Amino acid sequence: MQSLIRNIAIIAHVDHGKTTLVDAMLKHTGVFRENEAITERVMDSNDLEKERGITILSKNLSVHHGRYKINIVDTPGHADFGGEVERVLTMVDSVLLLVDALDGPMPQTRFVLKKSLDLGLKPIVVINKIDRPGARPDEVVDMVFDLFCELNAKDEQLDFPIVYTSAKLGYAKLDMTSDSTSLEPLFAVIESNVHPPKGDVNAPFQLLVTNIDYNDYIGRIATGKIYSGKVRAGETLAVIKHDGSVIKGRISKLLGYEGLKQVEIEESVTGDIVSIAGFDSVGIGETLANAENPVALPYVAIDEPTISMNFIVNSSPFAGREGKLVTSRNIRERLDKELRTNVSLRVADTDAGDTFKVSGRGELHLSILIENMRREGFEMAVSKPEVIFRDVSGKKMEPMEYLVVDVPSEYQGVIIEKMGPRKGEMTSMQPMGESIRLEFIIPARGLIGLRSEVLTDTRGTAVMTHTFHEYAPYRGDIPGRKNGVLIAMEHGETTGYALDALQPRGILFLPAGVEVYGGMIIGQHAKDNDLDVNPCKGKKLTNVRASGTDDAVKLAPPRILTLEQALEFIDDDELVEVTPKSIRLRKKELDPNRRKRK
């Protein structure tokens, strides 16, 4: 029944406890059996989400609480996956804005909240982790109110209900003094404050597709909210494409949600969130409508990409050793498949047949795609990320980011000094217990390579978060990487003897016993020029010296770069070679003589 349906999305900054709160809500409503083995953060279902502890893809579930059916959408907290957030907010009637009781609102909180306020949704504010040492829930509520005012919330949006929770311990309170051992107060607030979905159950059927999945047995599955009318399994519907064309087809399967599981259902009505199979040509943002009277629904605009990089067929001497999928056809097919579900991504062909220009919302957005591809057996090279400039009335505009750095007070000078050459502009500085929160508006170009420098300079104590702010006039040149690199001269296996001699020259990226090729980057030079070195040189056996004494060589641990660190580190004339087993850095031009000529 439409009046008993509640559709909500949970929005928050990364690691503020969204997915843990979903776990607690599932337990409270009895979705899990008493003896059922439950994984933590059950909604983070793919391997990368589990490893990184972040939500990347938005997911749906449904719980029954008393007479009410509550459809919950868990959204990503990182602005790089904003395309996911923008889509799913069109399915819901309210949002739970989750804020950490110690950290307060963070850049991504601001990003997802702005999107929901723009859509006219009235949020419910949930102050989570109130059991955390140093929690300051009252101060955080004031900070949230200030953020609402800053984002020009309407009067009715400013009158938001507040719930205090500990998702980990599974309880909620309406004020800090009351005793509570369950999430019942949270469910009461959702049921009384979220209005049932609008729409006429007797009108012709309309559903806006906000998610696409694929199943080997039943093909493409389109998920969305029913805006009007009702739908039955086996019915004939029309797909209204972006260009206005209409394709008719028959529903092969109608699926609803019970807890975390998709179950087959016979019928569904206005306001419910359902999945429909049987339409192979349907895409995100298109409308499934009544076959006799097809009317399209308006689609929310998705923010355009801000960063691009080239995906290139791997041409290194080690090409094809570790990956199964290495050709341009393989890479193009995989990118086309990603475009079907990843609405913020753009892929364009270039003049070179083995190179594709891929644009996304940020470094993390693209690096997650690369990481997924290498796990699937792909092998390729990727170039340095570049920001996408725009031309507005003849003026060059570039993307600006809103950056927040939480850092111990003794390092605040180091951070402020870092921002000058990168054209960062400080907007706020606030004490936060023993640390200081610094806020900047900085060009997106200025963030490339910044994280590793900041972590080095603050001994790993700084916490950096950023989100897209706006396009603004070009701020001028930003200096690139200060240091050159150490480049292997020839093919061979690195030796402890050779690396020991190279240690004073800079920071090494490889241990001994690793195979390298000419033109591969093996470390960072201590000076600003590139240096060709031989890391494979062995110690010659003579009458005086024994080759076995190599065992006594003491090498400092190498700096092993992750994919994100490698993408930040490389310069314009360098590439990151990505394979299922390795991440290597190399020069675009492997021949040292040709490099010198350029």
Side-chain angles (χ1 to χ4, degrees):
M1 210 168 106
Q2 190 177 339
S3 61
L4 298 177
I5 294 173
R6 299 289 182 269
N7 294 326
I8 56 165
I10 302 185
I11 58 175
H13 182 78
V14 177
D15 203 30
H16 277 197
K18 284 184 309 302
T19 313
T20 310
L21 183 66
V22 171
D23 286 358
M25 292 172 86
L26 287 167
K27 282 178 196 162
H28 182 78
T29 51
V31 169
F32 299 125
R33 296 190 312 273
E34 285 295 313
N35 62 346
E36 192 169 349
I38 303 164
T39 50
E40 246 185 80
R41 299 193 312 277
V42 71
M43 292 293 275
D44 284 348
S45 52
N46 77 32
D47 291 344
L48 270 178
E49 291 181 318
K50 288 190 174 105
E51 282 169 30
R52 296 176 182 229
I54 60 171
T55 303
I56 295 169
L57 303 168
S58 61
K59 299 169 210 68
N60 306 16
L61 71 137
S62 149
V63 295
H64 288 276
H65 183 257
R67 298 177 307 141
Y68 293 93
K69 180 182 184 184
I70 302 172
N71 291 315
I72 303 170
V73 185
D74 183 18
T75 63
H78 201 289
D80 279 17
F81 309 112
E84 295 277 329
V85 177
E86 287 156 14
R87 284 205 320 259
V88 300
L89 288 179
T90 60
M91 291 200 290
V92 299
D93 302 298
S94 180
V95 290
L96 295 188
L97 174 68
L98 204 69
V99 184
D100 189 300
L102 174 63
D103 293 345
M106 298 289 272
Q108 268 81 29
T109 318
R110 177 195 200 90
F111 169 81
V112 285
L113 177 61
K114 185 174 188 335
K115 295 289 175 200
S116 54
L117 292 176
D118 290 350
L119 287 169
L121 301 176
K122 185 181 173 186
I124 295 168
V125 173
V126 179
I127 307 296
N128 191 30
K129 302 192 185 183
I130 54 172
D131 56 314
R132 195 177 165 184
R136 43 185 195 137
D138 295 339
E139 272 179 68
V140 168
V141 169
D142 293 343
M143 290 161 81
V144 171
F145 187 80
D146 292 345
L147 179 61
F148 271 70
C149 296
E150 214 177 298
L151 297 174
N152 300 321
K154 299 188 184 106
D155 289 348
E156 62 270 21
Q157 290 172 325
L158 283 169
D159 184 22
F160 50 79
I162 303 164
V163 185
Y164 302 93
T165 64
S166 167
K168 198 172 175 186
L169 302 178
Y171 65 80
K173 308 173 173 188
L174 295 181
D175 66 77
M176 289 299 291
T177 53
S178 61
D179 286 329
S180 171
T181 54
S182 76
L183 284 181
E184 204 57 44
L186 176 62
F187 281 98
V189 168
I190 291 170
E191 285 154 18
S192 59
N193 285 277
V194 180
H195 60 73
K198 297 176 179 135
D200 182 359
V201 74
N202 298 312
F205 174 75
Q206 284 180 304
L207 176 143
L208 182 68
V209 178
T210 49
N211 233 334
I212 290 284
D213 207 353
Y214 188 82
N215 182 303
D216 289 337
Y217 300 103
I218 57 175
R220 278 167 91 77
I221 303 168
T223 301
K225 182 175 90 169
I226 302 174
Y227 276 73
S228 64
K230 56 176 78 167
V231 65
R232 287 190 68 82
E235 205 174 309
T236 300
L237 297 178
V239 179
I240 306 170
K241 307 292 287 175
H242 286 301
D243 59 7
S245 59
V246 176
I247 302 166
K248 292 189 179 177
R250 189 171 160 277
I251 297 174
S252 61
K253 280 236 181 334
L254 181 62
L255 304 164
Y257 289 88
E258 287 295 332
L260 291 162
K261 299 181 183 78
Q262 272 189 331
V263 291
E264 225 174 306
I265 53 175
E266 278 305 306
E267 187 180 46
S268 193
V269 296
T270 301
D272 212 353
I273 293 172
V274 293
S275 297
I276 295 175
F279 300 88
D280 283 340
S281 61
V282 70
I284 285 171
E286 294 172 351
T287 305
L288 284 171
N290 182 288
E292 311 304 318
N293 183 13
V295 180
L297 285 162
Y299 185 51
V300 64
I302 299 287
D303 284 355
E304 289 297 307
T306 56
I307 276 191
S308 69
M309 59 173 77
N310 288 333
F311 284 33
I312 308 161
V313 172
N314 189 12
S315 60
S316 87
F318 294 172
R321 283 194 185 184
E322 296 171 358
K324 302 191 295 285
L325 303 160
V326 296
T327 64
S328 58
R329 183 178 60 82
N330 294 141
I331 294 170
R332 179 78 224 206
E333 280 175 3
R334 177 63 180 82
L335 292 173
D336 285 344
K337 183 183 165 197
E338 187 70 23
L339 283 172
R340 291 181 206 157
T341 54
N342 197 335
V343 288
S344 315
L345 200 73
R346 304 281 181 275
V347 177
D349 291 316
T350 62
D351 298 338
D354 63 349
T355 305
F356 306 102
K357 186 176 183 181
V358 182
S359 308
R361 290 284 282 266
E363 265 178 276
L364 186 63
H365 184 204
L366 294 175
S367 71
I368 291 288
L369 169 61
I370 297 165
E371 184 64 43
N372 279 324
M373 286 175 72
R374 72 184 279 241
R375 289 179 184 212
E376 291 162 22
F378 283 86
E379 192 176 288
M380 60 193 168
V382 290
S383 68
K384 180 182 176 174
E386 294 173 357
V387 302
I388 298 170
F389 297 106
R390 283 188 191 166
D391 193 318
V392 179
S393 331
K395 253 186 159 181
K396 189 178 183 182
M397 308 289 272
E398 68 172 324
M400 306 298 285
E401 298 269 331
Y402 167 64
L403 169 71
V404 174
V405 186
D406 289 340
V407 68
S409 46
E410 68 258 36
Y411 295 118
Q412 71 184 56
V414 177
I415 301 296
I416 294 166
E417 201 178 308
K418 274 260 171 291
M419 297 302 160
R422 292 172 180 267
K423 308 288 188 273
E425 197 179 286
M426 191 193 284
T427 57
S428 166
M429 180 177 183
Q430 300 162 351
M432 287 240 326
E434 291 175 13
S435 63
I436 296 242
R437 175 166 290 178
L438 305 169
E439 297 180 14
F440 301 89
I441 303 296
I442 182 171
R445 293 175 297 141
L447 290 174
I448 296 171
L450 178 65
R451 187 178 300 273
S452 51
E453 281 187 34
V454 163
L455 288 175
T456 305
D457 292 345
T458 61
R459 303 192 176 178
T461 53
V463 178
M464 253 178 74
T465 45
H466 56 87
T467 181
F468 174 72
H469 182 60
E470 63 181 357
Y471 266 84
Y474 182 67
R475 290 277 177 95
D477 291 338
I478 291 176
R481 192 180 67 204
K482 293 190 189 83
N483 299 68
V485 287
L486 303 174
I487 308 162
M489 289 160 64
E490 58 185 52
H491 190 123
E493 197 175 282
T494 55
T495 64
Y497 173 72
L499 294 182
D500 185 41
L502 292 174
Q503 280 190 132
R505 299 280 190 168
I507 300 163
L508 298 173
F509 296 158
L510 301 169
V514 174
E515 201 178 354
V516 297
Y517 54 81
M520 183 170 152
I521 295 167
I522 64 147
Q524 179 178 309
H525 193 197
K527 295 182 180 173
D528 61 0
N529 62 312
D530 293 346
L531 187 67
D532 288 301
V533 296
N534 182 2
C536 311
K537 192 165 59 178
K539 188 173 178 186
K540 295 290 180 281
L541 173 65
T542 68
N543 288 339
V544 181
R545 298 185 299 182
S547 61
T549 50
D550 262 7
D551 300 340
V553 166
K554 291 278 186 290
L555 289 175
R559 186 203 289 172
I560 307 293
L561 299 180
T562 63
L563 178 60
E564 278 93 358
Q565 287 168 338
L567 291 171
E568 282 191 346
F569 179 81
I570 58 172
D571 227 330
D572 295 332
D573 65 337
E574 295 162 3
L575 298 171
V576 179
E577 183 187 341
V578 182
T579 76
K581 294 180 184 170
S582 317
I583 292 170
R584 303 184 187 97
L585 276 65
R586 54 165 282 195
K587 285 288 182 184
K588 278 185 186 171
E589 179 52 71
L590 298 177
D591 187 320
N593 296 320
R594 285 197 197 148
R595 269 204 309 274
K596 282 172 187 142
R597 277 189 221 126
K598 285 186 178 179

